[in-house]
Amino acid sequence: MEKQKVSYYELEGTYREIGRQIAGQEDTGKWYIPAPEYFTREALEEALGLYDMYCPGIREELEGFSEAAGIPVKDIAYTWMTMLVPRCSGLILTGKKTLDGHPKIARNYEFTIEDEDLKLCRTAPAGKYAHIAGTIVEFGRCEGINEKGLAVSMSSCGFPVSNMPGMRAPKIKGLQFWAVIRSLLENCANAQEALEKVMQMPIAYNINLYLADPSGTGILFETMDGEKAYKQISPNEGPQYLCGTNHIIIEQLKHLEPAGMNNSIVRYDRLKKFAEEKERYSEEEIRKFMLAEYPEGMTAHYYKDGFGTIKTVILDPVEKRYSICWLGQEENGWKDYLVDEKKGACVEELLYRNEDGNPEFFAFRPIG
């Protein structure tokens, strides 16, 4: 076992004030990554204009951070990495599939330790919806729940898209997933509003986006190279679950990338089997399944290969609750956070296990 620090903190005020609060953290320098040459003054203004339109407030937050940290806005990692990468699993259950009658989103998030924020944050921007979410590149969000009970999560759809070397180049000009998710949490009251917003957004990242709200509505939204599709469930009729991993799920998009990693297909089949095995599940059963090791569950420990479980999360829209177990280790315990409840900042040192992956795990094969 190895040790790793994780943290929870709280931000509140205007966006500029929140930016200054972020600059007061110990690891501020981590986000100073000089912009590449292609990110010119014109590109900066174009990016900030895009953020103003679809992620209102983030410009002011970046400017507040810049002023307090003494880092030019252009050279904040979020600024130039967000306009256009992780591997994850997602499961949406309506209240008809849970013993407490609450809809749930369950997700595992896999990546490398070195490239992760390892932070959870309660953010309450003035005039916007407060939310609890995991951070990414400090200013972005990768999953969370807001004060209205809108729950949002994601998994990469296909090979991760980025403007960084070694990643898949974006096919369209648009936003990274972490900007999309934060915008939804701060501006949307329910899954339908979130769906309407993402249908209008230019999204460069290829994403499986999971949406759920207290009504029981669940939506899997998928985008690949700028094309979009979605599936929706309701407790009133039809299927009572949706799930996804890291390949295309919706039939009308499969022609764009008809293959997936072997582990993604195995995990997707296992999620479907789990969702269909019983009529209803307790949350404890969902937690145990997500923490079970691949291929029986969703957890893996291949951090050196970019596929180690960073966190396992359950989002409950009715309770407005974010529950997390860090680093794929049941020994680290589960922590519950309510959007309406302030806990105060804390830092913990937790355990994780590092193992070697195998070529078969990462091999590609047809989706079928």
Side-chain angles (χ1 to χ4, degrees), residues 219-240:
I219 297 172
L220 168 62
F221 168 87
E222 207 163 57
T223 179
M224 172 63 68
D225 295 341
E227 294 194 34
K228 299 174 179 178
Y230 67 91
K231 297 173 72 173
Q232 188 164 333
I233 56 173
S234 161
N236 299 324
E237 59 181 355
Q240 297 298 300

Side-chain angles (χ1 to χ4, degrees), residues 25-218:
Q25 297 186 44
E26 290 182 5
D27 58 355
T28 293
K30 177 180 179 180
W31 306 117
Y32 171 61
I33 304 178
E37 289 184 9
Y38 67 78
F39 196 72
T40 61
R41 165 57 63 178
E42 291 75 19
L44 171 63
E45 289 306 317
E46 185 178 8
L48 293 175
L50 191 69
Y51 306 160
D52 287 344
M53 184 175 296
Y54 295 104
C55 315
I58 195 64
R59 178 200 288 257
E60 289 77 13
E61 189 166 306
L62 291 167
E63 289 173 348
F65 177 87
S66 171
E67 293 161 2
I71 297 173
V73 169
K74 181 182 177 182
D75 294 330
I76 301 170
Y78 181 97
T79 304
W80 62 269
M81 291 175 68
T82 296
M83 190 173 80
L84 299 154
V85 158
R87 294 89 173 159
C88 329
S89 310
L91 173 67
I92 306 174
L93 299 173
T94 73
K96 285 190 173 179
K97 292 291 291 182
T98 62
L99 288 177
D100 61 11
H102 296 182
K104 314 271 186 190
I105 291 182
R107 70 97 57 135
N108 261 34
Y109 175 83
E110 280 75 36
F111 206 35
T112 65
I113 290 284
E114 295 77 16
D115 297 314
E116 252 306 301
D117 286 15
L118 296 165
K119 294 179 179 179
L120 180 60
C121 179
R122 180 187 184 276
T123 311
K128 302 286 184 174
Y129 296 133
H131 60 277
I132 291 178
T135 74
I136 185 164
V137 202
E138 192 65 63
F139 302 88
R141 303 293 183 264
C142 50
E143 83 286 311
I145 191 162
N146 72 14
E147 65 182 80
K148 293 294 185 179
L150 172 65
V152 185
S153 185
M154 60 75 64
S155 59
S156 295
C157 185
F159 195 76
V161 174
S162 175
N163 50 15
M164 298 291 284
M167 296 293 190
R168 177 178 180 151
K171 291 289 183 73
I172 67 166
K173 188 178 291 186
L175 297 166
Q176 264 283 14
F177 72 86
W178 54 64
V180 174
I181 291 176
R182 180 165 180 182
S183 184
L184 298 182
L185 289 169
E186 292 184 350
N187 296 288
C188 299
N190 55 53
Q192 195 62 43
E193 285 185 16
L195 176 63
E196 292 169 5
K197 191 171 183 68
V198 293
M199 291 299 289
Q200 297 170 358
M201 280 180 160
I203 303 174
Y205 196 84
N206 296 334
I207 188 174
N208 288 327
L209 189 71
Y210 310 93
L211 307 169
D213 63 31
S215 75
T217 297

Side-chain angles (χ1 to χ4, degrees), residues 341-359:
E341 180 182 293
K342 294 184 180 181
K343 285 179 173 285
C346 70
V347 177
E348 298 177 86
E349 191 170 69
L350 300 176
L351 301 172
Y352 74 100
R353 189 166 83 249
N354 213 336
E355 298 175 351
D356 293 323
N358 63 73

